[in-house]
Amino acid sequence: MIRTISKLGTAFWSLVVGWYRVDRIRVSPTAGRLLSLKVGDRVVLKGELFKVMQRQIGDDADQVTYLLNHPDGDAVLQITRNGRDFDGKAELRYLDRCDEVAEDELVVL
């Protein structure tokens, strides 16, 4: 009985240590906020209210694109990976303009 409990404890400890040592994908909280938008979310960007209509992930998962709806016309919010990491910045194409959007300029309603 004690031997079984000891083996079980050793196996559990090995599992915990193995999980802790494995590389995991880490995303900064700022980039995570930009990447976590869902279809149907209403967001304020650059002082304008948009509704998320569609979310697309690039082939190599190096880019996330949101199609946004606004009464004056549709917009595209694009977050692109910079090297290995997402840097928490995005590009908003709206009304023939292309502006950089920082995470702190995004308000999810």
Side-chain angles (χ1 to χ4, degrees):
M1 175 78 166
I2 293 177
R3 181 177 254 172
T4 304
I5 292 173
S6 175
K7 285 182 181 180
L8 186 59
T10 302
F12 177 73
W13 184 251
S14 296
L15 179 69
V16 170
V17 168
W19 172 83
Y20 182 76
R21 290 184 179 167
V22 170
D23 276 341
R24 291 178 293 281
I25 297 172
R26 292 180 176 90
V27 176
S28 74
T30 56
R33 191 164 167 211
L34 287 170
L35 295 170
S36 65
L37 296 177
K38 297 174 192 69
V39 172
D41 282 352
R42 294 187 185 279
V43 297
V44 177
L45 291 166
K46 301 284 187 186
E48 298 285 339
L49 179 64
F50 296 93
K51 182 177 180 182
V52 179
M53 302 304 289
Q54 189 175 3
R55 181 178 193 258
Q56 299 173 339
I57 299 175
D59 293 336
D60 297 328
D62 60 346
Q63 175 176 307
V64 177
T65 303
Y66 295 99
L67 301 177
L68 308 174
N69 183 273
H70 185 274
D72 293 338
D74 292 339
V76 175
L77 177 66
Q78 189 170 47
I79 301 110
T80 305
R81 184 166 49 184
N82 184 8
R84 275 186 54 180
D85 302 316
F86 287 98
D87 60 4
K89 293 190 180 178
E91 185 177 89
L92 177 67
R93 288 180 297 220
Y94 170 64
L95 295 178
D96 297 330
R97 289 191 337 238
C98 186
D99 296 321
E100 189 173 286
V101 177
E103 182 273 338
D104 58 355
E105 295 178 293
L106 170 74
V107 177
V108 180
L109 302 177

